[in-house]
Amino acid sequence: MTRSLAFMSFRYAAILLAIAIVLVPVLWMASMAFKPIEEWQATGADLTWIPRAPTLDNFRYIFGRSTSDLIVTLDKTALKPILASFLSAGIGTILAMTAGTSAAYGLSRFGSGANLPLALVQLRLFPPMAVMTPVMIMWAFLSFTDSWWGLALVYGIVTLPFAFWLMKTFFDDMPKEIEEAALVEGCSRGRVFLKITLPMMRAPLASAALFVFILNWSDYLIALLLTTKQWVTIPVYMASLSSSMTGQLYGAKAALGLIAAVPPVVLGVLIQRHLVRGLTFGALKQ
Amino acid sequence: MKDESAKLGFRLTLPAQVLVLFISVFPLLMQLYISLTDWSPLSGQSWTQAWTMWNTFANYSDVIHDSRLWAALGRTALIMAVCVPVEFLLGLGLATLFMDDFPGKRVAYSILIMPMMVVPAVAGYMFYMLFQSGGPVNDILSRLLGHPVTLAWLSDPRLALVAVMTADIWQWTPLMFLILLAGLVGVPDDQIKAATLLGAGPVHRFITIVLPRMKAIIGIALAIRVIECFKIFDTLFIMTGGGPGVATETISVYIYKIATQDLIWGYVAAIALVILIVLSIACVWALKRMAK
Amino acid sequence: MDQQNRISRRQLLTTGGKLAVYGAALGIAPKFIRPARAGAPDALAAGMIGGPTGFDGAERYQYGADTPEGRAIEAAKALKGAGKAPAKIVIGLSDGSIGQLTKPFPAGAPSIKDLWEKETGIPLEIVGLPNGQEFTKTMQDISTKGGAFDIYSVEWNRLGDLAESGGIAKLDDYVAAHKPEWDDPKRGYVDGAKGVALLNQYRGSTYGVSLDGDFQTWVYRTDLFGDAAEQSAFKSKYGYDLAPPKTWKQHADVAAFFQRPDKGLFGCTDLRNQGWGYTNWYQRYTSMASPNQFLFGDDGTPLINSDQGVAATQEYVDSLATHSPDAISWGWSEQYGNFAGGGAAMTCAFSNLPKFLDNAGNTGSKVTGKIGSMLPPGREIDGKLVSRSVLWFSLTGMVSAQSQYPEVAYLLLQWLGSSRIYSWMTANPGGYFDPFSLNDFADPLVRETYHGYHMDIVRETVARTVPTINYPGATAFHNALDENLMAALTGAKTAAQAMADTAAEWKKITRRTGEDKIIDAIKANKAAWPTVLDPV
């Protein structure tokens, strides 16, 4: 299809504008991460857009290797919170994807669990804040509070609806003939699922997993309420870089923010070729 | 064979069922119980003793008269009513620009989905800085308008609302864009070509061929954002804490405040159950409509 | 990189707090880095059984067997010997305060944590809590029976709430057994037993140990107030001499006079944000009557929905005009940063502001040598001046009811909160535990860190300080006030509406919390209100 010059210029102009808007906060964060403390200030005539004296101090600082005498060394480095985020978001994602995919398949093929679609939408729709009080009591009772597994369990549950719904639409869409052919050839149901169905679902699985992971990785509220010291996650830890006494350690926050963006970006790049197809939610009926 | 299928289906759905029951049974029963009492962690008694503070339906009648709660709900609805359509239109607009190949597409695409990769809490801190009265946003506006702009974004009730909505739109338009682009790419080319041959213009083609084919995916995209936007908390809470005053206090922020500061958990439970009932009705209705 | 050892103004502007603390440390450090005493630097002075060593004047912080500190250490050791001590004591502490326990000060000294561990053999685990999350985390631990801490440190006025929740231990038996001597007339709390009742007790029982002294204190710029041109301009405009304002009327004049936003100068930058703004409202409101305008009547009725309440609120709202446009979203660090940059003529803050900003080592501060302290503005009533400040925040140590070893936890608090160790700790610029006892105000090291001129004013301010609401429901009471004041500030409500709504809200909270408890607590709270009146 050929496009008119006018359309092409409009397209580039619009995309450039969108990119510019998208980039302002991103670049602000990236630049802040490399600014020395003298340049953090966000107000007035001294506003710094590009670091005048770029430094890695902010990164060194959050890993406890501050060379500067001016900043007190942190009592806790960012390492453990990064680990906590990885474990809770990662295991939570695996949990949600496993339970969600198998349930979606069970419903789609065998009509089991007819209550799940509604129950899971309700589960996701409900503001976590409103149920967190009993969950806090329950978690403390089970000794799940302030642990990565306790957090992973909640994450697995609150993102289960996404895994389920995403996968269900794809299973619904998948032509049954393929599986049936394999069954006729004598494969067991389980083998068909593992060897034929799942591989075909690589794209949806990958994008659903990425999406679920990003949701878990992003969480602030649940971790804020369910962790205290050992297993605080990145967003919660970030708040300790901002007590009113230390002032807001914006550079350190931005540095950690950059680091926190790495896993979603890496995963996103890895599954990029599946992403667009995977996100159709199987909703394009031919 | 049928039995075996049912068994297998049961087994496959079992983990999900267990997880759902695990997170709903105890919390629901507990909420139901303490919502009928004045129990608070400050009362000095365990929640199991809440019956000693029985107040029957006082919490529920308080919910009806809680003007702050309704204001927070209204504010949440307003944020949803602005953010979701804006995100949708921007996402759709951008997605249509990405339907065919052009030089630089991959780079542009990668940049545009960046906000999804930024942890919302981090975005909150960045936007807090951006919206200072002498901060970057005003700096850009000053340069564009040619005169100094010193809006106190986060200190003004109306501007603060604009600021938090801006952050939400920034963060979530990319998801709309991604989903809608996936939908657009999936519309079969031959149908569009056929329409072109019949002499339909691009706008006409878009409305008559493309959009109807995307109905389902648009529905899903909107549903996801409506659901998530209703719960809006992280970025907003870090930017304004619901302030100034209650200017940006959404339903989640309100419940967070009364649950962690006022600590009136009996009342929180009543609010939670009311919301649950209202949402469930909405949910059943929406699913029925979708099924049609 | 010489950059690293320099503090620039901008850095202070954004980071205020802890960086400033270290700036202060740099400034102060050279004065303290002296060769340790010849001979045995680790030796205790004669008759002493413990305390810090290794720096000049260390003997002031050492203790004999018959001191609160000595008794605490001995008792802790005995408990440990009897197997009645925990493997470690877990203490939850605001992030910003940890430095005072873990950083050695002055040069040559051990850290507080090391000293305790060395003397008792019981390790301390300090868990940092983000500022503002102390109460939330504490309540979480209590309500879910988490049991993660032996000691909580929470804002002072949550004592009533926490005591009622049953989450913190009553300390009366331990106080009787180990005699902390908080009311010692020479070294103890200002106001003796009354001060102890105010800071550590709830309804007659001890539940907390004060670890802070956040008496909100006023400072001004001596260079601006002393400038001849400013003085004559002021005089010709207002008809009286430019001086630190004694009344709120004068305060408004002075603030308006210096309000020059185009020149980067604001009249006054005391806080107007959520959770803090009402500290200024308190000062304006409580000085509306002599000796005090109370918040509640003896029968528990709110008194704020009155002419006094409305007038104070109106004044509070009007004063926003002499603040920064961002005032409502400005917190403490923005305030300090702005003041360091010379951005304000007056402000009201924690007592530690001069310690950080009037500091030779803080090369970035534009106000070094230019800060003066003043008493809070007041009102002339019946020929006397009623001037009131307010106690707000002020971290207090409390023993968790879930602690397996509450006595040891208490002993740590007794040791930390008694005058010798506390003075040594508060002088440490590594955190924000501020001075509050008589010994602190007299201690040379504290006076050096906080400045003599300031310490004298702080001490006088303490005598004019009203307590904030510290009865059960304190948080809910303050939130209701906060929201309504904020609505008044943003123009959503009139002053009268704001007061009427707050009073209605307060009545509801009183009913919900239990009137008897509240009335009881109101009486105890009132006993601590100041009676000092000044000549006009």
Side-chain angles (χ1 to χ4, degrees):
Chain A
M1 246 183 282
T2 51
R3 296 293 201 180
S4 69
L5 188 65
F7 175 80
M8 287 302 274
S9 19
F10 168 75
R11 166 148 78 190
Y12 278 113
I15 290 175
L16 280 178
L17 179 67
I19 286 178
I21 293 170
V22 159
L23 278 182
V24 168
V26 174
L27 289 184
W28 182 259
M29 172 171 79
S31 127
M32 186 61 62
F34 296 99
K35 280 184 198 170
I37 29 193
E38 294 84 15
E39 298 175 22
W40 289 353
Q41 189 204 2
T43 54
D46 291 327
L47 190 74
T48 309
W49 277 99
I50 298 161
R52 284 182 286 250
T55 169
L56 288 174
D57 271 359
N58 295 321
F59 292 91
R60 284 195 206 109
Y61 175 62
I62 55 175
F63 291 108
R65 262 180 255 135
S66 171
T67 50
S68 163
D69 293 335
L70 300 177
I71 308 178
V72 64
T73 32
L74 286 166
D75 293 281
K76 190 165 57 187
T77 70
L79 270 182
K80 187 86 180 279
I82 291 174
L83 179 69
S85 276
F86 260 113
L87 282 173
S88 55
I91 306 285
T93 303
I94 292 171
L95 182 64
M97 288 306 296
T98 314
T101 306
S102 65
Y105 191 71
L107 177 62
S108 185
R109 288 294 177 276
F110 312 111
S112 307
N115 63 318
L116 282 175
L118 177 63
L120 286 172
V121 170
Q122 281 174 315
L123 184 63
R124 187 69 208 175
L125 189 53
F126 202 52
M129 195 52 237
V131 278
M132 280 318 279
T133 45
V135 169
M136 276 154 62
I137 285 181
M138 201 171 153
W139 252 235
F141 179 75
L142 298 167
S143 298
F144 284 178
T145 310
D146 201 24
S147 67
W148 65 264
W149 57 91
L151 212 47
L153 183 56
V154 186
Y155 286 168
I157 294 171
V158 296
T159 49
L160 177 61
F162 274 110
F164 173 83
W165 271 94
L166 281 166
M167 294 318 296
K168 180 179 171 294
T169 48
F170 282 102
F171 287 133
D172 286 350
D173 244 24
M174 186 181 148
K176 291 195 176 62
E177 293 76 19
I178 304 171
E179 289 184 348
E180 275 158 13
L183 282 174
V184 169
E185 279 170 33
C187 280
S188 74
R189 263 284 174 197
R191 251 186 91 77
V192 172
F193 179 58
L194 291 176
K195 296 280 164 189
I196 298 181
T197 317
L198 280 187
M200 284 183 66
M201 288 287 143
R202 209 180 293 147
L205 277 174
S207 16
L210 173 72
F211 192 49
V212 166
F213 179 80
I214 288 180
L215 283 174
N216 288 337
W217 185 257
S218 299
D219 167 74
Y220 170 61
L221 178 61
I222 296 174
L224 182 66
L225 293 169
L226 289 182
T227 59
T228 40
K229 46 178 177 172
Q230 295 299 337
W231 293 99
V232 297
T233 58
I234 293 174
V236 180
Y237 173 75
M238 202 168 275
S240 66
L241 300 172
S242 70
S243 72
S244 71
M245 189 60 193
T246 49
Q248 302 276 354
L249 292 172
Y250 285 115
K253 275 183 215 271
L256 186 56
L258 270 192
I259 294 172
V262 170
V265 167
V266 168
L267 285 178
V269 169
L270 284 181
I271 66 157
Q272 199 178 21
R273 68 204 167 86
H274 298 311
L275 201 54
V276 166
R277 199 183 105 57
L279 278 173
T280 54
F281 295 87
L284 294 164
K285 305 267 159 57
Q286 298 300 314
Chain B
M1 184 72 189
K2 201 157 188 202
D3 259 11
E4 202 186 316
S5 291
K7 225 187 259 171
L8 189 58
F10 174 75
R11 257 184 254 150
L12 283 168
T13 47
L14 188 63
Q17 298 279 22
V18 169
L19 287 176
V20 171
L21 289 180
F22 179 69
I23 205 72
S24 34
V25 174
F26 171 77
L28 272 183
L29 290 178
M30 176 180 164
Q31 294 284 60
L32 188 61
Y33 170 45
I34 66 170
S35 75
L36 298 168
T37 72
D38 274 333
W39 184 75
S40 149
L42 293 177
S43 65
Q45 272 162 318
S46 156
W47 67 273
T48 47
Q49 301 296 310
W51 55 270
T52 56
M53 284 156 266
W54 195 262
N55 68 7
T56 326
F57 290 107
N59 283 333
Y60 290 91
S61 69
D62 278 358
V63 168
I64 296 168
H65 298 110
D66 187 346
S67 56
R68 202 171 141 203
L69 170 70
W70 298 110
L73 261 178
R75 213 169 285 120
T76 313
L78 173 67
I79 292 175
M80 285 162 67
V82 173
C83 289
V84 177
V86 169
E87 284 159 18
F88 170 69
L89 290 176
L90 287 177
L92 185 64
L94 279 173
T96 54
L97 297 179
F98 276 76
M99 275 175 72
D100 52 4
D101 281 328
F102 60 89
K105 178 176 172 178
R106 286 184 75 89
V107 178
Y109 170 86
S110 305
I111 294 175
L112 285 177
I113 63 170
M114 271 186 186
M116 276 179 73
M117 312 295 178
V118 177
V119 175
V122 181
Y125 291 116
M126 294 309 131
F127 277 105
Y128 177 83
M129 299 191 81
L130 292 172
F131 280 115
Q132 288 297 302
S133 74
V137 167
N138 280 346
D139 189 45
I140 294 171
L141 290 178
S142 304
R143 283 171 206 223
L144 289 178
L145 300 175
H147 63 84
V149 176
T150 54
L151 295 172
W153 290 93
L154 301 177
S155 290
D156 179 284
R158 268 188 221 125
L159 293 177
L161 207 52
V162 174
V164 297
M165 290 201 254
T166 307
D168 191 75
I169 291 167
W170 176 83
Q171 182 113 43
W172 292 109
T173 299
L175 180 67
M176 274 295 187
F177 163 71
L178 260 188
I179 296 176
L180 294 173
L181 180 59
L184 280 177
V185 171
V187 174
D189 265 357
D190 49 346
Q191 297 193 357
I192 298 177
K193 278 194 190 123
T196 317
L197 288 177
L198 290 173
V203 178
H204 188 236
R205 278 198 311 261
F206 190 75
I207 293 172
T208 56
I209 315 253
V210 180
L211 276 188
R213 296 226 141 247
M214 289 179 58
K215 227 186 198 165
I217 204 161
I218 288 173
I220 290 172
L222 287 176
I224 290 180
R225 275 311 295 149
V226 164
I227 289 175
E228 300 301 307
C229 195
F230 177 69
K231 300 185 291 191
I232 183 168
F233 183 86
D234 294 359
T235 314
L236 181 149
F237 187 72
I238 286 169
M239 283 173 73
T240 67
V246 292
T248 55
E249 189 174 270
T250 60
I251 190 73
S252 287
V253 173
Y254 175 61
I255 300 179
Y256 178 82
K257 281 190 191 164
I258 61 172
T260 61
Q261 292 172 19
D262 297 7
L263 292 148
I264 36 180
W265 286 17
Y267 186 57
V268 170
I271 294 181
L273 289 175
V274 170
I275 293 178
L276 180 68
I277 291 164
V278 173
L279 287 185
S280 300
I281 294 170
C283 228
V284 171
W285 177 80
L287 279 183
K288 274 209 180 121
R289 277 208 53 162
M290 263 174 75
K292 264 189 225 164
Chain C
M1 288 193 36
D2 64 347
Q3 283 269 330
Q4 283 177 357
N5 289 322
R6 257 191 55 233
I7 304 186
S8 80
R9 180 180 69 84
R10 246 174 284 118
Q11 157 199 334
L12 270 160
L13 282 175
T14 47
T15 59
K18 194 175 276 179
L19 298 180
V21 174
Y22 279 79
L26 286 177
I28 293 161
K31 296 177 198 164
F32 291 115
I33 302 175
R34 297 169 189 147
R37 273 170 299 161
D42 278 351
L44 293 164
M48 299 298 171
I49 64 156
T53 51
F55 59 97
D56 265 0
E59 64 280 357
R60 284 199 306 274
Y61 314 111
Q62 295 170 1
Y63 35 84
D66 192 25
T67 58
E69 291 89 345
R71 282 193 294 274
I73 294 287
E74 291 303 314
K77 280 196 320 213
L79 285 169
K80 177 157 171 83
K84 286 183 194 156
K88 62 181 182 193
I89 301 178
V90 184
I91 171 168
L93 208 58
S94 299
D95 285 318
S97 297
I98 297 175
Q100 271 172 317
L101 270 68
T102 57
K103 307 285 161 194
F105 176 85
S111 75
I112 299 245
K113 180 174 182 287
D114 290 344
L115 183 64
W116 165 268
E117 291 177 348
K118 191 184 105 197
E119 293 197 356
T120 63
I122 304 170
L124 279 189
E125 184 186 335
I126 303 172
V127 176
L129 301 177
N131 192 264
Q133 287 281 315
E134 300 92 349
F135 179 64
T136 309
K137 286 291 165 201
T138 299
M139 270 325 297
Q140 224 177 72
D141 193 61
I142 292 172
S143 56
T144 63
K145 300 267 175 275
F149 304 96
D150 294 297
I151 296 177
Y152 306 121
S153 61
V154 189
E155 300 101 293
W156 156 80
N157 62 342
R158 316 273 201 189
L159 206 63
D161 267 341
L162 291 170
E164 284 293 339
S165 78
I168 55 175
K170 198 185 265 195
L171 305 174
D172 289 345
D173 293 347
Y174 308 137
V175 169
H178 304 294
K179 302 190 202 67
E181 296 175 12
W182 291 319
D183 55 353
D184 185 290
K186 284 210 194 79
R187 326 181 53 99
Y189 291 22
V190 176
D191 251 358
K194 210 169 124 182
V196 177
L198 173 67
L199 292 174
N200 293 356
Q201 296 178 349
Y202 167 67
R203 292 177 95 190
S205 287
T206 300
Y207 283 95
V209 179
S210 175
L211 293 178
D212 208 347
D214 291 336
F215 305 94
Q216 302 300 309
T217 310
W218 284 86
V219 291
Y220 67 97
R221 289 271 300 284
T222 49
D223 57 327
L224 293 176
F225 280 66
D227 185 274
E230 299 284 9
Q231 282 176 343
S232 64
F234 185 87
K235 176 125 194 193
S236 67
K237 193 165 177 195
Y238 295 98
Y240 60 97
D241 286 332
L242 176 61
K246 293 184 103 175
T247 66
W248 287 110
K249 175 76 190 66
Q250 290 172 5
H251 179 272
D253 288 347
V254 176
F257 177 71
F258 284 116
Q259 176 74 6
R260 300 159 194 168
D262 50 323
K263 300 215 170 64
L265 183 68
F266 300 116
C268 187
T269 54
D270 55 308
L271 295 177
R272 286 291 181 279
N273 63 338
Q274 261 173 321
W276 277 103
Y278 47 83
T279 55
N280 181 263
W281 179 88
Y282 257 103
Q283 301 182 20
R284 293 176 188 272
Y285 174 77
T286 55
S287 58
M288 276 279 177
S290 177
N292 293 297
Q293 170 71 28
F294 290 108
L295 299 166
F296 289 92
D298 286 334
D299 58 351
T301 4
L303 301 176
I304 52 167
N305 188 17
S306 58
D307 291 348
Q308 290 88 341
V310 175
T313 308
Q314 191 57 51
E315 211 181 77
Y316 173 75
V317 172
D318 293 343
S319 69
L320 197 58
T322 52
H323 280 68
S324 151
D326 285 321
I328 292 177
S329 63
W330 264 19
W332 186 119
S333 52
E334 285 83 3
Q335 175 198 24
Y336 273 47
N338 166 277
F339 202 79
M346 299 179 282
T347 200
C348 180
F350 291 123
S351 54
N352 57 24
L353 185 141
K355 143 162 121 171
F356 303 141
L357 307 184
D358 180 6
N359 188 314
N362 185 350
T363 52
S365 172
K366 287 186 176 172
V367 294
T368 304
K370 298 174 183 170
I371 298 181
S373 313
M374 64 189 194
L375 287 176
R379 296 177 205 285
E380 197 187 321
I381 298 172
D382 302 333
K384 291 283 187 188
L385 189 66
V386 185
S387 127
R388 296 291 175 250
S389 182
V390 65
L391 176 63
W392 179 240
F393 206 73
S394 229
L395 287 173
T396 300
M398 304 168 194
V399 176
S400 166
Q402 299 173 72
S403 171
Q404 302 290 308
Y405 302 92
E407 186 160 14
V408 178
Y410 165 78
L411 289 169
L412 169 64
L413 288 178
Q414 169 166 332
W415 182 76
L416 270 184
S418 293
S419 55
R420 292 168 189 85
I421 294 298
Y422 193 84
S423 291
W424 172 45
M425 177 164 80
T426 191
N428 185 337
Y432 55 56
F433 290 140
D434 287 330
F436 69 95
S437 69
L438 293 170
N439 191 58
D440 303 334
F441 295 117
D443 185 84
L445 201 54
V446 179
R447 289 183 74 87
E448 189 155 3
T449 320
Y450 279 80
H451 299 294
Y453 69 83
H454 189 55
M455 276 293 90
D456 294 336
I457 289 290
V458 173
R459 190 179 165 150
E460 289 307 305
T461 301
V462 174
R464 286 160 184 77
T465 294
V466 301
T468 39
I469 294 174
N470 67 337
Y471 9 110
T475 317
F477 282 117
H478 281 136
N479 283 347
L481 175 65
D482 201 12
E483 272 138 29
N484 281 295
L485 286 179
M486 201 53 84
L489 281 181
T490 55
K493 285 183 186 173
T494 64
Q497 260 175 324
M499 284 299 105
D501 292 354
T502 309
E505 222 18 68
W506 280 9
K507 277 184 197 154
K508 245 205 279 186
I509 298 164
T510 307
R511 208 176 46 228
R512 206 183 287 145
T513 318
E515 284 196 13
D516 299 352
K517 272 188 224 167
I518 301 269
I519 290 173
D520 223 31
I522 287 173
K523 281 192 191 131
N525 178 286
K526 272 188 185 173
W529 285 51
T531 49
V532 183
L533 300 175
D534 294 302
V536 176

